[in-house]
Amino acid sequence: MRVLVVEDEPKLADYLRKGLTENGYVVDVATDGIDGRHLALHGEYELIVLDVMLPGVDGFSILKAVKAAKDVAVLMLTARDRVEDRVHGLQEGADDYLVKPFSFSELLARMTALRRRGVRTTGGSVDTGTQLVLGELQLDLARRKAWRAGRAIDLTNKEFLLLALLMRRQGEVLSRTVLAEQVWDMNFDSDTNVVEVAVRRLRAKMDDPFDTKMLRTVRGMGYVLELP
């Protein structure tokens, strides 16, 4: 699931990005209203976590613009607990409201509830919020389990996150830079081979034992997971 977090408090924004990434989400972050509105309108997201009080453009304005342009779930965050603010957000199309301070577990629960209906991604994989399925490949996000053709695959935490990202964006060639930033939370160092090593180990576990190969290297560009 691809999520946009629009939050101007740096510590909270970083906390949400790390926490959501560790729970299998693909996360983009904007720290002001102008960047947040641009990403929300021009990016492809299944959910937007949107703060109300933002520099540049406030969250209510972003919410109104987004709901007029596309069908995407929006969870509002605010330090305000006035009923009027919550009513205003819901009237503008917010799908849920969470008042600061909040627990991360409650945020996850509300995000799961918003997605309980299930989402079919553009590439043909199925994302129900708790499971990812692509052909004979299946990931249980809650239990951190993986199978292919009914056979269990023993993955490390980073291998699991890498596979979840590739499945959510199946058919899309992802560069080493993107994988490093999303899975390892690091600025890309061209001298490191951490991505190549992880991909090689993942391929050995989920691809090599089978006749049909799903994880492909695109020379000079990156890696892509796709159905044959």
Side-chain angles (χ1 to χ4, degrees), residues 1-3 16-27 46 104 108 111 115 127 129-132 139-142 144 157-169 182-183:
M1 181 181 183
R2 193 172 185 87
V3 177
L16 293 176
R17 178 177 57 81
K18 289 181 178 179
L20 292 174
T21 299
E22 289 174 357
N23 279 272
Y25 292 92
V26 178
V27 185
E46 285 75 43
F104 185 72
L108 286 178
M111 291 173 64
R115 304 193 60 252
D127 185 346
T130 59
Q131 290 194 353
L132 291 172
L139 261 67
D140 186 319
L141 299 173
R144 293 298 177 103
N157 182 57
K158 292 301 184 183
E159 290 166 355
F160 186 92
L161 293 175
L162 177 61
L163 182 54
L165 174 59
L166 289 165
M167 288 182 69
R168 285 195 171 99
R169 298 176 65 175
Q182 293 288 345
V183 176

Side-chain angles (χ1 to χ4, degrees), residues 122-194:
T122 56
S125 60
V126 177
D127 185 346
T128 67
T130 59
Q131 290 194 353
L132 291 172
V133 181
L134 177 62
E136 61 187 15
L137 189 61
Q138 179 181 357
L139 261 67
D140 186 319
L141 299 173
R143 295 188 295 160
R144 293 298 177 103
K145 300 291 185 181
W147 301 267
R148 180 167 177 183
R151 182 190 301 179
I153 308 171
D154 184 19
L155 301 176
T156 66
N157 182 57
K158 292 301 184 183
E159 290 166 355
F160 186 92
L161 293 175
L162 177 61
L163 182 54
L165 174 59
L166 289 165
M167 288 182 69
R168 285 195 171 99
R169 298 176 65 175
Q170 77 94 27
E172 180 181 348
V173 179
L174 301 181
S175 67
R176 292 191 299 156
T177 302
V178 169
L179 296 177
E181 290 176 348
Q182 293 288 345
V183 176
W184 283 269
D185 185 28
M186 58 185 285
N187 293 324
F188 183 66
D189 180 357
S190 59
D191 292 330
T192 183
N193 66 344
V194 63

Side-chain angles (χ1 to χ4, degrees), residues 34-53:
I34 296 175
D35 287 344
R37 181 175 60 184
H38 177 79
L39 288 173
L41 291 175
H42 299 285
E44 295 296 329
Y45 303 99
E46 285 75 43
L47 177 67
I48 299 174
V49 179
L50 177 63
D51 190 22
V52 171
M53 301 297 293

Side-chain angles (χ1 to χ4, degrees), residues 80-95:
R80 300 172 174 176
D81 57 1
R82 289 170 43 194
V83 174
E84 296 92 330
D85 290 327
R86 281 178 282 175
V87 170
H88 180 53
L90 294 172
Q91 287 176 337
E92 291 293 346
D95 298 278

